[in-house]
């Protein structure tokens, strides 16, 4: 099988990125692996869709660092092929990273993912579902019981009033964003630097303010879901606790948070079960839930990370389980003659 991984850029891929682990697992399972970036598609006048792919050499690779070095090799083969020559396309870009410097690239994965899907390629996550999830507004479509109290606005007075109605404070962040950038905690509307905070966050568009959850001081739990259910392997859950650095409220690993093992409770599983119907409805094959206490803070559907940390903590390679599931979908799609919709196939 030939599996393609769509990323923002090959140069910015890190040695511990989850996408690399997935690609390495695919290679080690005997598949051909290619990488695509936003500028690698051509829709020709005869309506054929071609891709200009970076092709990784076949062979098994044991270490992530070795895979990363291979991926960064400037001498890697570049091959032009019809999109129908690939079996699965995994959309693993983060649109928010291109929003400022390359706005043309923001929607490329979804737009060309749709075209690939129409030509018989298994596309994960489903591009129509991802189109609904371009920013954190998507989370508001999940059951209210799983979400902290939230307001989304660019009106400063609205957000001031919201902050004053929550004595434990609120978290303010951009509606479109990732990686813990421009995330602030506000105690009340009387804080002296409030205008500066609003100015910094609103540069990226709408603001989202959420009631602060005191349990967040202990970090959050990144909990992976696959096919609408908790991702497990040999009885272990793909989950970790992300603990903020001292003096920081962000638990993101990119923001110097640290990863710790976590015991997955029945309450966590029950919380994840509440969002399962929506994930299945939207064709979300692989997602990462960010959980604090009895609430979910975010549903990460584009390129959820943490698989390398989970592998180190649990000694379980969940990327192998994920690629095995992709293989099953390719087989199902082939056996059905393309009669199963991509959105349904994505979570079967």
């Amino acid at each position: 099988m030939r599996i393609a991984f769509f990323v923002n850029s090959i140069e910015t891929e890190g040695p511990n990125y989850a996408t690399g682990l997935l690609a390495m697992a695919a290679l080690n399972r005997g598949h051909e692996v290619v990488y695509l970036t936003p500028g690698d598609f051509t829709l020709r006048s005869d309506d054929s869709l071609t891709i200009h792919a970076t092709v990784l050499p076949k062979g098994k690779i044991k270490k992530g660092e070795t895979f990363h070095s291979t991926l960064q090799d400037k001498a890697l083969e570049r091959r032009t092929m019809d999109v129908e020559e690939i079996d699965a396309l995994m959309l693993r870009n983060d649109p928010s990273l291109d929003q400022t410097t390359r706005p043309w690239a923001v929607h490329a994965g979804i737009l060309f993912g749709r075209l690939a899907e129409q030509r018989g390629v298994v596309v994960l996550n489903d591009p129509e579902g991802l189109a609904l999830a371009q920013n954190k507004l998507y989370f508001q479509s999940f059951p209210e019981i799983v979400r902290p109290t939230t307001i989304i606005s660019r009106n400063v007075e609205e957000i001031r009033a919201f902050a004053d109605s929550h004595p434990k404070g609120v978290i303010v962040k951009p509606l479109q964003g990732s990686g813990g950038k421009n995330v602030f905690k506000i105690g009340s509307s009387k804080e002296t630097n409030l205008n500066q905070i609003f100015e910094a966050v609103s540069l990226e568009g709408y603001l989202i303010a959420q009631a602060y959850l005191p349990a967040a001081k202990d970090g959050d739990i990144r909990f992976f879901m696959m096919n609408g259910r908790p991702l497990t392997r040999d009885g272990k859950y793909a989950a970790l606790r992300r603990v903020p650095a001292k003096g920081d409220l962000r638990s993101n690993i990119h923001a110097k948070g640290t990863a710790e093992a976590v015991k997955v409770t029945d309450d966590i599983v029950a919380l994840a079960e509440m969002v399962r119907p929506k994930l299945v409805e939207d064709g979300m094959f692989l997602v990462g839930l960010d959980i604090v206490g009895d609430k979910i803070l975010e549903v990460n559907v584009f390129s959820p990370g943490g698989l390398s940390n989970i592998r180190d903590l649990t000694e379980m390679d969940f990327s192998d389980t994920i690629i095995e599931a992709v293989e099953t979908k390719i087989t199902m799609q082939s056996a059905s003659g393309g009669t199963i919709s991509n959105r349904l196939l994505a979570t079967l």
Side-chain angles (χ1 to χ4, degrees):
M1 296 176 180
R2 180 179 287 141
I3 302 177
F5 294 86
F6 178 80
V7 297
N8 294 75
S9 74
I10 291 175
E11 291 75 18
T12 56
E13 286 292 291
N16 294 315
Y17 280 16
T19 302
L21 284 184
L22 294 171
M24 187 168 68
L27 274 180
N28 290 341
R29 292 178 67 86
H31 303 303
E32 183 173 355
V33 170
V34 303
Y35 267 67
L36 299 173
T37 62
D40 287 337
F41 296 91
T42 299
L43 182 62
R44 292 181 169 169
S45 58
D46 61 359
D47 204 41
S48 63
L49 180 63
T50 59
I51 55 175
H52 309 281
T54 298
V55 182
L56 273 72
K58 291 185 177 181
K60 295 191 175 182
I61 300 177
K62 294 183 178 180
K63 295 182 178 180
E65 293 80 3
T66 305
F67 175 85
H68 183 251
S69 297
T70 302
L71 179 63
Q72 298 301 323
D73 186 351
K74 302 297 183 183
L76 282 178
E77 178 190 359
R78 290 275 293 171
R79 189 188 309 166
T80 298
M81 62 184 81
D82 193 288
V83 76
E84 294 181 18
E85 295 179 53
I86 65 173
D87 297 293
L89 170 60
M90 298 198 70
L91 300 178
R92 295 285 305 174
N93 67 311
D94 181 349
S96 67
L97 297 181
D98 285 322
Q99 182 177 324
T100 303
T101 58
R102 296 195 308 172
W104 62 267
V106 170
H107 304 295
I110 290 172
L111 295 174
F112 289 103
R114 284 171 174 156
L115 296 178
E117 168 203 333
Q118 293 165 8
R119 288 157 175 76
V121 180
V122 177
V123 183
L124 306 167
N125 291 338
D126 181 72
E128 296 295 341
L130 290 179
L132 301 173
Q134 287 290 296
N135 54 52
K136 295 179 177 65
L137 190 61
Y138 175 64
F139 186 42
Q140 299 304 109
S141 63
F142 284 83
E144 185 177 358
I145 192 172
V146 307
R147 300 183 270 115
T149 308
T150 300
I151 184 174
I152 297 170
S153 180
R154 279 182 60 84
N155 187 296
V156 174
E157 296 309 316
E158 289 267 10
I159 296 177
R160 285 181 185 274
F162 182 78
D164 283 338
S165 67
H166 291 81
K168 293 179 181 178
V170 300
I171 299 296
V172 176
K173 53 190 173 183
L175 183 62
Q176 179 85 44
S178 64
K181 180 184 177 184
N182 283 338
V183 178
F184 300 93
K185 182 176 184 290
I186 296 173
S188 78
S189 64
K190 307 298 189 297
E191 291 192 10
T192 56
N193 64 338
L194 207 54
N195 286 335
Q196 291 89 334
I197 290 175
F198 288 151
E199 183 177 341
V201 181
S202 62
L203 284 174
E204 300 185 39
Y206 269 80
L207 290 70
I208 179 170
Q210 294 176 324
Y212 176 70
L213 304 175
K217 67 180 185 302
D218 299 320
D220 64 14
I221 295 170
R222 168 59 59 86
F223 189 82
F224 276 88
M225 303 274 283
M226 185 179 77
N227 290 331
R229 299 187 181 277
L231 173 57
T232 61
R233 184 180 178 92
D234 297 338
K236 292 186 178 181
Y237 290 94
L240 78 159
R241 183 178 296 281
R242 305 185 303 176
V243 182
K246 187 176 181 180
D248 200 331
L249 59 90
R250 302 167 300 168
S251 55
N252 308 72
I253 303 300
H254 288 316
K256 298 184 179 179
T258 55
E260 294 182 357
V262 64
K263 176 177 173 56
V264 175
T265 64
D266 291 343
D267 289 341
I268 292 173
V269 175
L271 188 62
E273 177 66 16
M274 292 183 200
V275 300
R276 183 171 70 85
K278 177 65 173 171
L279 296 176
V280 171
E281 179 184 29
D282 292 343
M284 298 301 183
F285 165 61
L286 183 67
V287 307
L289 307 181
D290 293 344
I291 300 172
V292 171
D294 62 351
K295 300 293 183 184
I296 298 174
L297 293 185
E298 288 189 29
V299 177
N300 301 273
V301 300
F302 281 96
S303 57
L307 288 176
S308 62
N309 303 100
I310 294 172
R311 181 192 58 183
D312 294 341
L313 292 167
T314 65
E315 297 184 349
M316 286 286 173
D317 189 357
F318 289 96
S319 57
D320 201 60
T321 305
I322 295 166
I323 296 301
E324 184 178 5
V326 175
E327 294 167 359
T328 300
K329 295 178 194 303
I330 294 170
T331 301
M332 281 195 245
Q333 206 266 6
S334 177
S336 74
T339 59
I340 303 176
S341 74
N342 190 81
R343 186 176 291 201
L344 175 61
L345 187 64
T347 53
L348 279 179

